[in-house]
Structures are given as C-alpha cells and as structure tokens.
Amino acid sequence: MGMELPIENAESHEMEDVNISDTELVYHVREALTASLTGDYDNYNQLVAVMHLNGRLGPDERALLETSLKALSGAVSYLDSVHHDSLLTSIFGMNMWNYEPDVMDALKGLIISLAASNGKYIDSCLSMLVSNFTPPYFILDKLTLPYGLERKHQVLSRVHAALKNIADLVPLSPLRLLPIVVQSMPNAKHKPERLKMIVIYVENMLTLESGAMGELVGSTVLMAVVDRLIDLDVEIEWEEILYDDSSKGIFEMELEDVEDDGELSRGSLSRKSLTGNVIAELLDSLLVQTFEHLESCERAGRLIEVFETLLQSFQITVLNAYKSKFAQFVMFYACALDPENCGLKFATVLADIFVSGVYPPLTRMSTVSYLASFLSRGKFLSISFIVSLLKRLVDWCSEYCKTQGGDINPKAHRVFYSGCQAIMYVLCFRMRSIMDIPRLKSQLLLMPLDTILKHELNPLKVCLPSVVSEFLRQSKAARLFTLSKTFIFNDLLESELSRGFGGIERLDMFFPFDPCLLKKCDSFIRPNFVYWSMVRATYDYEEENSSDEDAAEDFVDGNGDEVMDDGMGRSFDEHDLDEFDYSTLNKMSITPKNAFVCRFEGKLGQPTRMPSKIRPSTSPESL
C-alpha cells in the first residue's frame, strides 16, 4: 500500500529507483493536488492513504510517510479546504505519539507550514497540537518506564516547539490557542485512564504557562488549572471523609499525630478514608504538580508575578466556592514559598475585603474564615504580622459595636459575629506566642477586646461554642483576664443563636486551612503548617487544677449576677505584665442558662475535653 513515489535514502540521499530532488517531489505532490480538482483522484487518494500509515511501520513505509509530509509542506498553497478536505482531515487527525522522531519532525513542519499559509487552518493546527498533549490509551501504562518517558519527551518537546513557532509566525495565534486549551481539557469520568490523561494534560498547561507564550496565555491557563482543581474538589463529598462523631468540638476533631506504622490515627477526618477515592487521588496529584510548578516559578524569580494571577483566581473562584476542601492549599503553598511578599499580601487582601463594606455578607464571612485559618496555620507568618492583622479585625468589630445595638440577631449581624469568631480562633492558636513577647503582649492587651465581648450583641453567645470554650480556656491559662467560676457547659444543646449565625451555609464552622488530608500533598504542606497538637502541647491544663467546666468560666456569679475581678492576670511564664483595666468586663450578661456545648446534628454534646490526639476542625455540620 502506498504512493508510487521514489523513496529517499536518508544517508546517501539517493532514491531507491530514480534520483529525484526535493523540488521534483514537491512538484509531484502539487500535480496530485491539482489533478484532484479536475476529477483525477488516483494520485490524490494514494497521498491520503499515506497519511493513514501509523503504528509499527517498516523502514520503507516510514520513509514514504516522512517524504510525503515534507513534500506537502512545500505544497500547502495548493491545498483547498473544500476539495482536499479528506487529506486535511487525515493530517489533523495524526498523532505524534504513533511515530518515530523523523516522522514527528516532518509532521511538525507540515503543521507549522499550514498554520502560516492560511488563516483558515490556524484553529485546526492548534487543535491538532493540543490533542497531542495526551497520549493514546495504550501508551499510558508505559509512561513510567524509560521507553515511555523518552517517547513523552520526544512528543511534547516538539508539540510545544511547534506552538512557539506558530506564535512567532502568526502573532494572534496565542489568543486562538487559549479557548482550545481550556475547552479540550479531559473530563474526569472516574476511570483511571481518564484521570491519568488529566494529569498529563495539566502538566502541559503548566508548561505553556512557564514557556515562551506564558506572557500571553499564562494567566488564563493558570486560572483554568485552578478552576479544574475546584471542579474536582467539589466532587469529593464530605460524607466520604467524615465519620459520625457528633459530640466532638472542632479542636477535638483535629488529627495530626502519626502512629508507629506511619498511618494516621483513626479520627473524624481520616486520610485512610480517602484511599481508593479516584477523584481525591487525582486532585492530590494535580496539587503536587501545581506545587512543583510554583517551586520552579520561585527558582526562576517569577513567583510574585504568578501569585498575582493566583490571587485573582482565588477571589473569583476559590473564595466563593462552597467550602472548598483542598484546592485553596495552592494559595497556602505559594505564600509559604515567599512569606514576605505573597504571604503578607494574601492576608492583607483578605483583611481588606472583610473590613470593606462593598462586598456581600457571605463573601466577607468566607474571607474572614480564610484569614483566621491562614493566620492560625501559617508557620511561616511572623507573630508581629499576625498581631497587626488581629488589630485590624478587633478595630473593625469595635467600631461596629459603637454603631449597632439592640437584641442579639445572628443573621442581621453575621458579619460581625464572623469577625469576632475569627479573632478568638486566631488567639486559640497564637495566644501563647503573642504573650511570650512583651511588646506584642502589650499590643494585645491594649486592643478593645473587652468592649466587643461585653457588647449587648453578645458574640460569646452566638459564635461557635467550641471556639468560645477554647478561647476562654486559654484566656484563663494565659491569665489574660480573671474570670469567675460558674460557666457551665454540661449536657446542653448548641445554642440556637449559634446555629442561626452561619445560616444554611454554616460558615460559622468553616476553617478552610484545616489539615490537608491528601497524602502526596502532605510533604509540601507539613513543614509549613501549624497543627493543633503543636499548640495543645504548650499547655498543661491538668496543672491548672481546673475541671473542663472551670476552664470555660462565665462572667457571672452563681446567682446570675454579673461579676468580674478587677485584677488582671499574668502571662504563661508568670512574668509581670503592664497594668491594664479589665474591670469593665463585669458588665457581661451571659448566664449559665445561655451557655452551650459544641453540638452537631441535633445530638446532645459531651463536656468539652481536649483529647491527647486532635482532629481536623471541619465538622459534619459544616456541610
């Protein structure tokens, strides 16, 4: 089978039957194309048949295909998009993965010539190259072998080189390329082979972002990658990674410690529960790819530039995603790579969004949850910076208290309550570090926390009970202020006020940078992450000689009268503190009747108690 064309010997440049020049070969192909316009299809049909050669080709067939492709490159002006549709369809349907390097080069040259010759062919040429981002299914399993890796490099290096050449010859082609790349991304069909295709495809997208065309297409491509991460993230149901443990508070549910066998301990959230989840494993692989890409950007000195795109994508997509579980760690890791620039900017932008009145309430609530979680978990953030952000939150809440009053209304004041909860949550993680530094300790003591806590809107009644409980416990341990001994948490349902605060979205229980349970991501995140066990280890509540109920004391005496000692406590290390008047806190109006325990799904809670092993802070009720 094949055209009756002489075959050129690559080494001697002699033809097997007759010596023929490249020009004469091109002329022969031109004649075949021209003759087909008048109804003579013999040579044309043979040419089309040659384009269908693939697989294990013999030397003669491979040489025939190579020379035919080269000849077509010199005759592209004779191609007619209507009359030669079958030939063009065959060319655009060719897959470089099926050929040896010499044929790949000839095909690459033809595609570049077609793209440069006629604007009609641009989209088809770009689509053909993008289709080569992924291999045929029969090659997938071989990609981990030396042969497969070599073939992958041979193909993809030529694909990206061809895209670059076309961009140089046709300046507007990158704009045509963007929608093709985004729309051609494989869909996850829960089949292992499809998932592998997505991993390879995203790898090529990131290559585009960092390549010569990155300046033109990089930002859009990177945002498309983040969009795909979110799409996969939302496919993972909470039910797939949660056990039903309705009595645990968010700090109790965190799990960080690793058992002797290297596996994570059993907990409300477990990495084991994601094993075998093909979507979770795909997302894990894609996140690792993205992390490695960010590392390469950092080495190339362009991380800040890439971060601007990530920040924009975060605000458009991730921030408003319904309780994203893992995709947000792209932002976390970028910040970890460059805390002084990316980390500070991310936190500052979050604070700006929250204190601004131009954003919708749900956006501001989600934003301050991200901010609180980021400030609590980022090991790379300086304590002084965390204090400066806390001050912004406290100042905003304080100003809000000056203009608002009346009865408690969780829905009407939900942005305020989310801000109060964020402050308490951050202090649960960072209070010890702050109090150990005299300058920062003084700044914390000067913040008008008392004004907020004693306000008639009563944030301690409305915010998530386990956060309030831990905040009060640590305040006592730090002797931040002296409390009475009557705050009771025993056997009470979670306050309806607290349940009403989050609404149907339950944003009151959303802390997006809780420990990431994806196995491959762990090695990237763990060195930069503050786990609750690290914080919990710095306290020894038993040495306080107080029960769990005493640790979460109220601001009232046993008769319901409002009481607050005038004395102000000391830091953990018992060093002297500057005097600060906390006597105004005696105006708080919380009673044991209104105290509450952490409760999920309408079940009775148990007395809050810190376990020796702690678990991720997302609860079933955060769904």
Side-chain angles (χ1 to χ4, degrees), residues 567-618:
M568 195 276 297
R570 299 176 181 273
S571 69
F572 298 101
D573 56 8
E574 302 294 331
H575 290 173
D576 290 337
L577 297 175
D578 296 331
E579 291 299 324
F580 185 78
D581 182 13
Y582 268 82
S583 61
T584 53
L585 284 176
N586 63 11
K587 298 179 182 178
M588 295 299 295
S589 59
I590 297 178
T591 66
K593 179 180 178 181
N594 293 321
F596 38 70
V597 291
C598 184
R599 200 276 305 164
F600 299 111
E601 302 299 334
K603 301 177 182 179
L604 286 176
Q606 302 297 323
T608 305
R609 187 167 186 82
M610 298 302 300
S612 59
K613 294 189 181 297
I614 319 179
R615 304 177 180 180
S617 60
T618 307

Side-chain angles (χ1 to χ4, degrees), residues 246-248 465 492-494 496 499 506 509 597-605 621:
S246 61
S247 66
K248 300 298 183 182
L492 297 173
L493 292 178
E494 179 184 352
E496 287 301 319
R499 289 179 56 78
R506 298 301 287 150
M509 306 182 76
V597 291
C598 184
R599 200 276 305 164
F600 299 111
E601 302 299 334
K603 301 177 182 179
L604 286 176
E621 197 159 61

Side-chain angles (χ1 to χ4, degrees), residues 55 84 150 192 199 291 334 342 348 369 412-413 455 518:
H84 301 135
E150 181 183 5
V199 172
F291 293 161
C342 302
T348 301
S369 292
H413 303 291
H455 193 269
L518 299 178

Side-chain angles (χ1 to χ4, degrees), residues 442-499:
S442 298
Q443 292 181 29
L444 176 61
L445 296 176
L446 289 172
M447 294 180 193
L449 283 171
D450 58 328
T451 303
I452 299 168
L453 296 176
K454 74 179 183 181
H455 193 269
E456 57 191 2
L457 292 178
N458 257 322
L460 295 184
K461 281 187 178 180
V462 180
C463 293
L464 188 62
S466 52
V467 173
V468 174
S469 173
E470 181 62 28
F471 169 73
L472 293 176
R473 178 182 287 108
Q474 290 206 30
S475 296
K476 179 188 177 183
R479 303 192 181 185
L480 186 63
F481 39 73
T482 304
L483 305 173
S484 65
K485 300 182 177 181
T486 57
F487 194 70
I488 307 298
F489 269 59
N490 283 354
D491 298 325
L492 297 173
L493 292 178
E494 179 184 352
S495 167
E496 287 301 319
L497 296 172
S498 177
R499 289 179 56 78

Side-chain angles (χ1 to χ4, degrees), residues 173-188:
S173 63
L175 299 179
R176 310 286 294 183
L177 175 64
L178 279 173
I180 293 172
V181 170
V182 174
Q183 294 167 15
S184 301
M185 188 181 298
N187 293 319

